[in-house]
Amino acid sequence: MMDSTDFLTLLRRHRLVAVVRGDDAEAALRTVHTLAEEGVALIEVTLTTPDACGVLARAAGALGPATVLGAGSVVTAEDARRARDAGAGWAVTPALGAGVSEAVALGMPVLAGALTPSETVAALEAGATAVKLFPASVGGPGYLRALRAPLPHVPFVPVGGVDAEAARAYLAAGAVAVGVGGPLVGDAASGGDQAALRERARAFRRVCDTDAAADGGGAA
């Protein structure tokens, strides 16, 4: 299992977290493989996807070390344990709570959901590696910029309504990475077009790779 320093390094290097959420386990597994083939290194499978732990276990067994799988929608302590046992290398939570504390106790890097300054500080105090700014669409890049003024050391990853244009704006506002679900995955994890997914993955990678090259690899 990777440590928090390694996870932060990957976030800063790749700047894109793909969020796979669907209603078909086989389609979700195909989606993970397609994203990996397109060079997306950080892929989150949400536990709200049917047989998510099975998807994680099968993908972890098939993919090489270039792809690092995480589990999303980790809410309870049991969620964290199931995710770890399925092969997830990191955990993503929608909010603070037992999912964060158990994942930290298990030694998993955690991308903990928070929206306000108080929640952000609480997330770090709970041991989160980075803060998932969620739902980011509530405030947009301007809100992230305002949050970073008193909290410049916090590694923020905006998630929620992040399309390619917004991804560029969030990265310019100081995000270390962006988490992208629907605008990237579309309906692929529910049986949709994998070829279209490939095109979207390439487009998002161009955005994130261009911005990483422009600023030397990401914000603090």
Side-chain angles (χ1 to χ4, degrees):
M1 186 182 299
M2 77 173 72
D3 62 22
S4 292
T5 299
D6 292 337
F7 183 56
L8 271 178
T9 297
L10 288 172
L11 285 173
R12 292 184 172 117
R13 179 182 303 155
H14 298 288
R15 312 200 77 187
L16 175 63
V17 176
V19 182
V20 176
R21 184 192 307 275
D23 58 20
D24 181 287
E26 293 302 321
L29 182 61
R30 289 195 298 271
T31 296
V32 171
H33 280 276
T34 297
L35 289 166
E37 288 165 6
E38 291 301 327
V40 178
L42 293 166
I43 303 173
E44 166 194 341
V45 178
T46 70
L47 296 185
T48 55
T49 299
D51 192 28
C53 288
V55 172
L56 281 165
R58 291 162 67 190
L63 299 173
T67 304
V68 186
L69 299 172
S73 299
V74 174
V75 176
T76 68
E78 178 60 22
D79 287 341
R81 290 190 289 270
R82 289 193 301 121
R84 188 273 313 271
D85 292 346
W90 41 285
V92 185
T93 75
L96 304 180
V100 175
S101 56
E102 182 65 13
V104 170
L106 292 170
M108 301 174 75
V110 180
L111 182 53
L115 182 61
T116 68
S118 295
E119 291 171 353
T120 297
V121 171
L124 297 179
E125 290 178 344
T129 303
V131 173
K132 169 185 171 179
L133 183 62
F134 178 78
S137 57
V138 168
Y143 181 66
L144 171 61
R145 194 173 285 109
L147 271 180
R148 291 194 70 245
L151 299 167
H153 62 291
V154 177
F156 283 107
V157 181
V159 181
V162 181
D163 60 15
E165 181 179 357
R168 186 176 288 107
Y170 282 119
L171 293 171
V176 295
V178 291
V180 188
L184 168 57
V185 174
D187 64 353
S190 298
D193 188 349
Q194 296 286 321
L197 171 63
R198 290 186 185 278
E199 293 302 317
R200 292 191 297 271
R202 292 167 189 171
F204 271 97
R205 285 203 62 205
R206 283 194 295 270
V207 168
C208 295
D209 290 350
T210 297
D211 282 292
D215 72 5

